Amino acid sequence: KITTAEDLAEAETRMTIDRFAALADVRVGWGYDVHAFESGDRVTLCGVEIAHEAKLNGHSDADVALHALTDAILGALGDGDIGAHFPPSQPQWRGCASSVFVRDAIARLKRRNGMLAHVDITLVAEAPKIGPHREVMRETVAAICEISIDRVGVKATTNEKLGFVGRREGIAAMASATVRLPLDGAES
Ligand code: MG
């Protein structure tokens, strides 16, 4: 019986535990993407615009991190990839914000009555520096994914000047997504 604030907190905790326990089909999906630099003055990474000596070439806003994240979520669902759902041949995605692709993947997850438990993104770039933008990137990804910021990791590394990333020809991104689905697989 709920009479005090403590009872309510206890009931909410139990409901959360029950909800998580019901979503016992835990899966991890993985995504990878690369975009090349071209002449420009800013890049969009994890939904955040950053001034830079070049821009990333791409059909959409070329947000390599959100593309990798989209594929990670789709991979966990076994539901194709970003290129299958948003073909570059379709003109309506030209210049569009890549949050559209992430939100579409999350809508697919919700239709299967699942939840996103955690995402982790690694950017591989010599420049721009990611550290100063990490927290706003985490906040932005959390908002797009409708999850709390403690469920979002954003990390960065250089490529030690090796290969195409080392030559500053482009940026690579990797992402993982952990999703929880109901064991019975019922769609709503
Ligand atoms: Mg891409």
Side-chain angles (χ1 to χ4, degrees), residues 8 36 43 75 79 81 85 95 102 105 114-115 127 148 151-152 161 164:
L8 184 62
V43 293
D79 190 354
D81 60 25
H85 297 303
V102 178
M115 68 170 285
S148 57
R151 296 180 182 275
V152 178
K161 299 192 170 70
F164 70 88

Side-chain angles (χ1 to χ4, degrees), residues 33-35 64 67:
D33 197 26
V34 170
H35 280 259
V64 64
H67 293 185

Side-chain angles (χ1 to χ4, degrees), residues 35-45 48-58 61-64 125-130 164-165 167-171:
H35 280 259
F37 283 127
E38 62 181 20
S39 69
D41 60 4
R42 60 197 58 245
V43 293
T44 304
L45 298 170
V48 177
E49 241 184 43
I50 301 171
H52 189 52
E53 65 197 20
K55 74 185 271 281
L56 290 171
N57 172 270
D61 65 1
D63 190 330
V64 64
E126 300 297 324
K129 280 206 186 318
I130 303 301
F164 70 88
V165 168
R167 292 188 297 271
R168 297 176 182 240
E169 292 169 3
I171 294 181

